[in-house]
Amino acid sequence: MAKEDVLNFEGKVIEVMPDARFRVELDNGHLVVVYTAGKMKKNRIKTLVGDRVTVEMTPYDLDKGRLVFRHKGDSPPPGMRPGGARPGGPPRRR
């Protein structure tokens, strides 16, 4: 492998940690600590417990990684109703 090669894995966020870090369980059962990639910070993409994510890892350290993509789920986020209505109040005006 070349130095620039990275390994891509998919997993599920199981814990949110301080400093934009997450504990992710990969599909193969391995637990890793990942940090949010710069593009995700720049675009303010929020990641919650239970989200499916793609993680980039270097072959030199398989305990750390970079969270590069959050997969969209079929269901709306918890607390949101279909149609954009907020729980406990009228829809937002823009």
Side-chain angles (χ1 to χ4, degrees), residues 27-93:
D27 289 342
N28 60 9
H30 193 72
L31 290 177
V32 294
V33 175
V34 300
Y35 64 91
T36 307
K39 288 277 188 180
M40 291 186 67
K41 284 184 186 178
K42 177 182 170 189
N43 294 315
R44 296 184 181 152
I45 297 174
K46 302 295 182 198
T47 306
L48 302 172
V49 173
D51 285 347
R52 298 282 307 161
V53 294
T54 300
V55 176
E56 266 185 8
M57 297 170 62
T58 178
Y60 299 107
D61 188 2
L62 299 176
D63 292 329
K64 298 177 190 169
R66 179 174 46 224
L67 194 147
V68 293
F69 189 78
R70 181 180 64 89
H71 299 277
K72 292 185 179 181
D74 295 332
S75 61
M80 291 297 292
R81 292 187 219 145
R86 291 185 300 142
R92 285 189 186 155
R93 301 221 185 255

Side-chain angles (χ1 to χ4, degrees), residues 18-30:
D19 296 332
R21 294 180 188 261
F22 304 92
R23 189 172 315 274
V24 174
E25 182 178 7
L26 302 179
D27 289 342
N28 60 9
H30 193 72

